[in-house]
């Protein structure tokens, strides 16, 4: 199990971050990887890019998933802070480079052939948030006591939703929901999803990044209730514990970023009845 917590002062906000990754109950290796970076003011170029949180989920059942997820997160961090571009473009560049390096590494090393990973990154600079995304790791925003999914899964089932052939509710229960259409490192070039314009961050906002080991077993409403009822580090632990209590079939990774103001986030009392769903191996459709 890996864990990290950190703070960085912004003009009128304090970002409180927490990360927790767990192998789960049935896997022998943790193919998820998470990191956060909160540059100090002394590193002016890095500080100009703000705080970065990345989670990646190596594809279950594929060679080198553990290698791919770590490589993706570390390349995204390196390229994001080294790029002279503004945050939105720097994130896009970082994902393109991560895809290229994972693909080339797998091509040169036969034991890693076929490796790939999902990846979601959140960058916050001042009062602006930026994100980039590939796969089915997810980013949520909790604001005003409600939860909003800010990324869309790159999956075959979500393509059915976009085409109007399936409702979002039915998609969450679909037996093939984990078949991915896109992942880093599975093809020579890739176009990541990213926010071209920033999201304004307000005091009290919370951002939640999760691998499918969480969102396959814990509903959006339950995740929201946990974050409204506990500080980021405790919320991470509760979500990991909840996913494990429901079988923990996959690796489990949670990242929380709270934009703290003068008061803490709104709290709620009580929970939501559990909804059990079984996770499956992810395979990429090329």
């Amino acid at each position: 199990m890996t864990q990290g917590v950190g703070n960085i002062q912004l003009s009128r906000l304090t970002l409180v971050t927490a990360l927790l990754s767990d192998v789960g109950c049935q896997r022998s290796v943790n193919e998820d990887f998470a990191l956060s970076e909160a540059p100090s003011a002394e590193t002016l170029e890095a500080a100009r890019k703000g705080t970065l949180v990345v989670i990646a989920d190596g594809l279950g059942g594929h060679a080198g998933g553990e290698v791919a997820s770590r490589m993706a997160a570390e390349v995204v961090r390196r390229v994001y802070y080294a790029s002279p571009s503004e945050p939105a473009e720097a994130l896009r560049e970082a994902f393109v480079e991560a895809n290229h390096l994972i693909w080339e590494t797998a091509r040169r090393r036969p034991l890693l052939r076929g490796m790939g990973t999902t990846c979601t990154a959140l960058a916050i600079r001042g009062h602006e948030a930026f994100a980039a995304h590939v796969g089915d790791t997810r980013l949520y925003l909790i604001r005003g006591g409600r939860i909003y999914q800010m990324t869309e899964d790159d999956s075959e089932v979500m393509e059915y939703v976009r085409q109007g052939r399936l409702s979002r509710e039915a998609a969450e229960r679909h037996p093939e929901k984990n078949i991915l259409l896109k992942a880093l490192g599975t093809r020579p070039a890739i176009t990541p999803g990213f926010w071209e314009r920033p999201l304004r961050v307000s005091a009290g906002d919370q951002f939640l990044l999760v691998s499918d080991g969480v969102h396959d077993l814990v509903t959006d409403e339950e995740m929201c209730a946990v974050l409204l009822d506990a500080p980021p580090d405790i919320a991470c632990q509760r979500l990991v514990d909840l996913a494990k209590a429901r079988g923990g079939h996959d690796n489990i990774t949670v990242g929380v970023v709270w934009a703290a103001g003068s008061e803490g986030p709104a709290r709620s009392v009580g929970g939501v009845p559990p909804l059990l769903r079984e996770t499956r191996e992810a395979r990429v459709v090329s």
Side-chain angles (χ1 to χ4, degrees):
M1 182 181 293
T2 57
Q3 185 172 11
V5 180
N7 301 330
I8 182 172
Q9 291 288 332
L10 297 177
S11 56
R12 295 182 182 177
L13 297 175
T14 297
L15 291 187
V16 181
T17 65
L19 294 173
L20 187 60
S21 186
D22 191 279
V23 70
C25 301
Q26 298 188 15
R27 300 290 179 90
S28 59
V29 174
N30 191 348
E31 293 183 318
D32 287 2
F33 190 80
L35 62 79
S36 65
E37 185 82 17
S40 64
E42 289 78 18
T43 314
L44 294 180
E45 186 59 28
R48 189 177 69 85
K49 293 288 184 58
T51 292
L52 177 70
V53 180
V54 186
I55 69 168
D57 178 1
L59 299 181
H62 288 254
E66 182 182 14
V67 175
S69 61
R70 177 181 288 271
M71 184 180 295
E74 292 179 346
V75 171
V76 166
R77 172 171 57 183
R78 174 176 58 79
V79 174
Y80 175 73
Y81 285 113
S83 171
S85 303
E86 287 296 298
E89 177 61 17
L91 279 179
R92 189 198 66 79
E93 294 170 359
F95 272 61
V96 169
E97 180 67 9
N99 180 79
H100 172 73
L101 290 178
I102 294 169
W103 170 265
E104 285 297 320
T105 299
R107 187 177 63 84
R108 294 193 308 268
R109 298 171 61 183
L111 292 178
L112 298 178
R113 293 276 170 83
M115 73 175 178
T117 184
T118 69
C119 190
T120 297
L122 169 71
I124 300 180
R125 182 184 67 175
H127 288 259
E128 295 181 329
F130 305 82
H133 166 76
V134 169
D136 63 355
T137 46
R138 290 182 182 176
L139 171 65
Y140 292 89
L141 168 67
I142 290 84
R143 172 179 285 175
R146 299 183 63 184
I147 188 168
Y148 303 89
Q149 186 176 329
M150 305 299 288
T151 56
E152 195 168 82
D153 296 350
D154 292 314
S155 66
E156 194 169 73
V157 168
M158 275 308 303
E159 186 62 28
Y160 296 156
V161 173
R162 286 188 284 270
Q163 295 170 357
R165 297 165 56 189
L166 199 66
S167 70
R168 287 185 178 270
E169 293 74 18
E172 286 297 318
R173 301 186 299 272
H174 199 282
E176 297 182 350
K177 61 178 290 187
N178 295 100
I179 299 178
L180 301 180
L181 297 177
K182 190 187 296 185
L184 293 180
T186 60
R187 59 189 68 175
I190 201 167
T191 301
F194 71 102
W195 299 350
E196 296 184 6
R197 290 181 292 182
L199 173 74
R200 180 74 177 176
V201 180
S202 301
D205 283 350
Q206 294 188 81
F207 293 91
L208 172 66
L209 298 89
V210 292
S211 63
D212 64 343
V214 180
H215 67 70
D216 270 354
L217 294 172
V218 184
T219 68
D220 292 1
E221 292 76 15
E222 289 173 310
M223 289 188 279
C224 183
V226 169
L227 263 69
L228 292 176
D229 194 49
D233 55 340
I234 295 176
C236 285
Q237 185 65 65
R238 288 182 180 176
L239 289 175
V240 168
D241 291 345
L242 184 54
K244 291 176 74 173
R246 295 177 180 177
H249 310 295
D250 204 349
N251 305 143
I252 303 161
T253 299
V254 184
V256 176
V257 183
W258 169 35
S262 57
E263 300 178 355
R267 302 299 184 205
S268 65
V269 179
V272 179
L275 176 61
L276 300 181
R277 288 196 295 267
E278 184 177 356
T279 60
R280 293 159 296 282
E281 295 285 349
R283 58 184 174 89
V284 173
V285 177
S286 57

